[in-house]
């Protein structure tokens, strides 16, 4: 049975709990332990799949097809452990499962209450897969004291109480604000936050304090005394230049040691941190810089394309260059010529997205990259728009478009090169969807296999002919346009195993123009950059050398 670390937060949100959890996971691995990370989110959406990226940042998709919180992306990037659908849960999912059971009569006529029915449901969820790993790290979203979070806090309190000693610990993340006027770091908000936690029965074992300034010994002792933790369990978390420094920084501050001490694991195995030393070396000592333009829709909120930004950083690490990303709002090109905006980039990336807004701009960005022979990576919608562009401008299908933007569909001359997929095969089973289905979870989701064409660019990039990548989309390139598009110069270099769904296209007569229907960014790691991103940045680096 795994040991459990529960990670909670207080004082303010956005303190980097996800990063602290992920870094702790990496440090426990560095000491030879196996880990799994899990996120419990108090919001009422059943999953983040239906939330706007403006609201909640990117939706992270797992191999088994769950739409989850972006923190699972951090977990995967730091530990390399593929997240599963059972590693993310929200109040919405917990309640809907409790209510389903109630309707089925599973509770045998009992009155259904938060305690014990909802808390039991949460505890059951916590134990899934617990036999497989040494440590289970569970992060509770939000901050202590939030109304929605209470059932989760109560559930982890019970969980800790029910296990034998040394099986569960609690780690609490807070902020020490710096008061410039008095020149002091203030510990009071942390004291209050811990008091709040203790009032619901949870006493933290490890306190992680975000701070912009070094924490003086005196304040550390004060925190230990007032919050009832050992002084060496007060861990400082300073602002970092790169998130990939976090494992080393937390190790320096003694986080992993404090956690192992709290479990009474002694002597603790010595850590091997070479992986993270190499990662930090690559981040901090680049030998050049490339500029990549991301032409997208959700450009005001960087978290909306979190995994893409990280995967580009990894691509930079593979090539020992810093990747400078500029975000360009695709809508600008509705009225303006893209050239002045795109000319200075070494490469252009058009990411995924939903809805019509900005799509004509993405098509123009793809056209610019194709005609000027600038490296182009189109992801999901970015691939679909590259196909529309090729259909219109290479194959002469001037009315080519996507059925996603359905006002075109009624037009007689409309060429739906991107069509709404209603039926497909997964694991030898047919999956069918109706237009009237719920919005949540009705896309082609999760890992699917693709076969790569011999002598294609992607086969060389991947170094294999069979890949597995994660999907999240409703629309597909229509195979019926394959011949006309191939004749015009667009190569269909990756296909689903049944040969019906185009997975990758590339422009034959171009140094680097690849569109992928899936999301390669979700599988990239700093210590194992995704081949597509590594090679895309390599191509950008070549361009940057030419100019
Ligand atoms: N909106 C497109 C679709 O549903 C693309 C989705 C995406 O880019 N993730 O097919």
């Amino acid at each position: 049975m795994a040991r459990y670390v529960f990670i909670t937060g207080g004082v303010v949100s956005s303190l980097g709990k996800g990063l602290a959890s992920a870094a702790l996971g990496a440090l426990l691995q560095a000491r030879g332990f196996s880990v799994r990370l899990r996120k419990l989110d108090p919001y009422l959406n059943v999953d983040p799949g239906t939330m706007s990226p403006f609201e909640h940042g990117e939706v992270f998709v797992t191999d088994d097809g769950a739409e989850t919180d972006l923190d699972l992306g951090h977990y995967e990037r730091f530990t390399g452990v593929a997240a599963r659908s059972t590693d993310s849960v929200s109040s919405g999912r917990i309640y809907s499962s409790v209510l389903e059971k109630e309707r089925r009569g599973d509770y045998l006529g009992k009155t259904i209450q938060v305690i014990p029915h909802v808390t039991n449901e949460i505890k059951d969820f916590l134990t899934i897969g617990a036999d497989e790993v040494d440590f289970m790290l569970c992060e509770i979203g939000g901050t202590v004291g939030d109304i929605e979070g209470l059932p989760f806090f109560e559930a982890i309190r019970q969980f800790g109480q029910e296990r034998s000693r040394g099986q569960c610990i609690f780690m609490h993340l807070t902020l020490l604000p710096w008061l410039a006027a008095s020149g002091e770091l203030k510990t009071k908000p942390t004291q209050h936050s811990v008091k709040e936690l203790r009032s619901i029965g949870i006493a933290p074992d490890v306190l992680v304090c975000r701070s912009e300034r070094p924490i003086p010994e005196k304040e550390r002792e004060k925190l230990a005394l007032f919050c009832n933790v050992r002084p060496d369990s007060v861990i400082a978390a300073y602002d970092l230049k790169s998130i990939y420094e976090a494992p080393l920084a937390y190790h320096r501050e003694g986080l992993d040691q404090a956690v192992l001490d709290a479990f009474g694991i002694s002597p603790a195995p010595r850590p091997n941190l070479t992986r993270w030393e190499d990662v930090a070396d690559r981040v901090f000592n680049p030998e050049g810089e490339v500029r990549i333009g991301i032409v997208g829709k959700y450009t005001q909120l960087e978290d909306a394309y979190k995994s893409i930004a990280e995967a580009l950083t990894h691509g930079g690490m593979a090539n020992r260059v810093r990747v400078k990303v500029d975000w360009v709002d695709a809508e600008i090109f509705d009225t303006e010529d893209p050239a002045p905006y795109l000319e200075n980039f070494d490469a252009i990336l058009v990411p995924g997205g939903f809805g019509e807004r900005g799509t004509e701009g993405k098509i123009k960005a793809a056209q610019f990259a194709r005609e000027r022979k600038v490296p182009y990576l189109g992801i999901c919608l970015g691939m679909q728009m590259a196909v529309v562009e090729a259909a219109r401008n290479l194959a002469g299908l001037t009315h080519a478009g996507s059925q996603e933007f359905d006002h075109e569909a009624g037009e007689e001359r409309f060429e739906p090169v991107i069509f709404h997929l209603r039926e497909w095969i997964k694991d030898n089973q047919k999956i069918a969807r109706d237009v009237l289905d719920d919005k949540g979870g009705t896309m082609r989701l999760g890992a699917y296999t693709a076969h790569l064409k011999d002598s294609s660019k992607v086969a060389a990039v991947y170094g294999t002919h069979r890949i597995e990548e994660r999907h999240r989309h409703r629309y597909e390139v229509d195979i019926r346009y394959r011949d006309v598009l191939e004749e015009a110069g667009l190569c269909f270099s990756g296909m689903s195993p049944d040969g019906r769904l185009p997975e990758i296209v590339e422009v034959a007569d171009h140094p680097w123009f690849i569109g992928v229907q899936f999301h390669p960014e979700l599988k990239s790691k700093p210590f194992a950059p995704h081949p597509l991103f590594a090679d895309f940045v390599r191509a950008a680096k070549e361009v940057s050398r030419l100019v």
Side-chain angles (χ1 to χ4, degrees), residues 154-338:
E154 170 59 16
I156 61 171
R157 182 198 67 76
Q158 292 174 16
F159 195 89
Q161 193 62 26
E162 288 159 9
R163 314 274 125 174
S164 43
R165 287 211 173 269
Q167 281 292 110
C168 277
I169 68 159
F170 296 91
M171 168 171 145
H172 192 55
L173 207 81
T174 69
L175 173 73
L176 302 183
W178 167 253
L179 270 199
S182 57
E184 283 176 306
L185 277 178
K186 305 306 285 183
T187 63
K188 192 65 89 188
T190 298
Q191 294 179 39
H192 278 297
S193 174
V194 170
K195 202 168 153 194
E196 177 93 40
L197 202 56
R198 290 170 70 188
S199 76
I200 49 182
I202 296 172
D205 300 282
V206 177
L207 208 54
V208 176
C209 302
R210 279 296 297 270
S211 168
E212 332 169 357
R213 308 268 169 152
I215 306 175
E217 207 41 50
K218 196 166 77 24
E219 306 307 321
R220 209 180 277 264
E221 279 164 17
K222 190 165 155 190
L223 280 165
L225 182 65
F226 283 91
C227 300
N228 199 32
V229 296
R230 293 161 37 153
D232 50 10
S233 296
V234 178
I235 308 296
Y238 301 121
D239 299 345
L240 302 173
K241 283 202 216 72
S242 159
I243 55 168
Y244 297 120
E245 215 190 328
L248 295 178
Y250 273 122
H251 177 69
R252 257 195 320 270
E253 296 301 325
L255 175 65
D256 43 335
Q257 189 61 55
V259 165
L260 294 173
D261 285 349
F263 281 113
I265 298 176
S266 173
R270 288 178 66 79
N272 175 357
L273 294 166
T274 42
R275 167 185 277 185
W276 294 103
E277 282 154 0
D278 177 53
V279 163
D281 178 52
R282 285 172 184 273
V283 172
F284 292 118
N285 303 303
E287 285 157 10
E289 180 177 285
V290 296
R291 287 190 63 191
I292 295 185
I294 300 188
V295 182
K297 178 160 96 169
Y298 315 108
T299 47
Q300 300 98 314
L301 181 72
E302 263 190 47
D303 270 359
Y305 300 118
K306 187 75 195 151
S307 294
I308 290 183
E310 296 308 330
L312 285 172
T313 304
H314 307 162
M317 288 156 68
N319 292 282
R320 286 211 168 261
V321 289
R322 195 175 94 86
V323 176
K324 187 171 178 310
V325 169
D326 278 320
W327 306 89
V328 183
D329 184 351
E331 266 184 288
I332 296 175
F333 306 151
D334 283 348
T335 48
E336 290 186 54
D337 175 19

Side-chain angles (χ1 to χ4, degrees), residues 15 40 157 162 291 300 366 386 426 482 500:
L15 280 178
L40 295 89
R157 182 198 67 76
E162 288 159 9
R291 287 190 63 191
Q300 300 98 314
K426 177 151 196 168
R482 178 184 184 150
R500 285 177 56 197

Side-chain angles (χ1 to χ4, degrees), residues 351-355 379-382 384 404-405 418 443 472-476 517 519:
F354 292 84
I379 294 179
C380 209
L381 187 64
Q384 296 174 356
E404 184 172 3
F405 323 127
I418 312 297
M443 287 182 264
R472 180 175 185 248
H473 54 103
R474 286 193 183 85
Y475 298 84
E476 302 274 347
Q517 185 58 79
H519 290 276

Side-chain angles (χ1 to χ4, degrees), residues 250-465:
Y250 273 122
H251 177 69
R252 257 195 320 270
E253 296 301 325
L255 175 65
D256 43 335
Q257 189 61 55
V259 165
L260 294 173
D261 285 349
F263 281 113
I265 298 176
S266 173
R270 288 178 66 79
N272 175 357
L273 294 166
T274 42
R275 167 185 277 185
W276 294 103
E277 282 154 0
D278 177 53
V279 163
D281 178 52
R282 285 172 184 273
V283 172
F284 292 118
N285 303 303
E287 285 157 10
E289 180 177 285
V290 296
R291 287 190 63 191
I292 295 185
I294 300 188
V295 182
K297 178 160 96 169
Y298 315 108
T299 47
Q300 300 98 314
L301 181 72
E302 263 190 47
D303 270 359
Y305 300 118
K306 187 75 195 151
S307 294
I308 290 183
E310 296 308 330
L312 285 172
T313 304
H314 307 162
M317 288 156 68
N319 292 282
R320 286 211 168 261
V321 289
R322 195 175 94 86
V323 176
K324 187 171 178 310
V325 169
D326 278 320
W327 306 89
V328 183
D329 184 351
E331 266 184 288
I332 296 175
F333 306 151
D334 283 348
T335 48
E336 290 186 54
D337 175 19
Y341 291 89
L342 302 181
E343 247 153 21
N344 292 325
F345 294 128
D346 302 318
I348 293 168
L349 188 151
V350 176
F354 292 84
E356 185 174 18
R357 198 151 58 77
T359 49
E360 287 302 319
K362 292 177 182 181
I363 291 170
K364 284 188 190 162
Q367 181 178 13
F368 176 91
R370 182 178 59 74
E371 290 177 352
R372 302 277 193 108
K373 304 228 182 290
V374 180
Y376 177 91
L377 176 57
I379 294 179
C380 209
L381 187 64
M383 175 252 209
Q384 296 174 356
M385 293 305 101
V387 171
V388 171
E389 193 278 317
R392 288 185 193 170
N393 302 323
L394 285 177
L397 304 169
T398 39
H399 294 277
S402 164
Q403 281 182 347
E404 184 172 3
F405 323 127
D406 47 17
H407 63 93
E408 287 256 37
E411 266 188 40
E412 230 171 79
R413 291 166 305 170
F414 179 54
E415 304 273 4
V417 288
I418 312 297
F419 78 109
H420 190 174
L421 182 75
R422 306 270 164 78
E423 252 182 45
W424 65 92
I425 307 286
K426 177 151 196 168
D427 303 330
N428 292 325
Q429 278 192 329
K430 193 157 92 179
I431 303 183
R433 296 266 193 254
D434 191 76
V435 233
L436 301 174
D437 276 349
D438 289 349
K439 280 277 182 246
T442 54
M443 287 182 264
R444 181 149 86 97
L445 281 168
Y448 283 83
T449 304
H451 293 165
L452 310 184
K453 196 172 172 172
D454 265 343
S455 72
S456 63
K457 183 178 266 355
V458 280
V461 167
Y462 275 98
T464 171
H465 285 95

